[in-house]
Amino acid sequence: METMETETRVALLGIIVENTEEIEKLNKVLHEYSEYIIGRMGIPYSRKKMNIISIVMDAPQDKISALSGKLGMLNGINSKVIYGKKC
């Protein structure tokens, strides 16, 4: 975990999974950043054959960006980040 001196941001990472064959890779990447994850909610949407995942994080901005970038490289997985305002 980062020291208290390192500035962190609260962020919401939205993930849409359209290729379920990549879920194992997605979970592996999320596990790499588990120390920064506050909570996770997954919603299967069978009508559209996709899964929607929300991840809430408190991490340095470079860690959040790195996670989002790694997820974006997975086939059939899209992610976007929304940051809380800096305090």
Side-chain angles (χ1 to χ4, degrees), residues 5 12 25-27 31-34 40 47 53 58-59 66 69 73 80 84:
E5 296 172 7
L12 173 63
K25 291 178 187 175
L26 177 139
N27 283 326
H31 182 73
E32 291 175 24
Y33 292 85
S34 62
R40 171 180 175 169
R47 188 171 134 199
I53 302 170
D58 185 3
M73 292 189 299
K80 294 290 180 191

Side-chain angles (χ1 to χ4, degrees), residues 4 6-7 14 18 20 23 29 36-40 53 56 60 63-64 67-69 73 77 83:
M4 293 299 285
T6 302
E7 185 176 334
E18 296 177 296
T20 56
I23 289 177
V29 172
Y36 304 110
I37 295 175
I38 299 168
R40 171 180 175 169
I53 302 170
V56 179
K63 299 289 185 184
I64 297 167
L67 172 57
S68 183
M73 292 189 299
I77 295 180
Y83 290 97

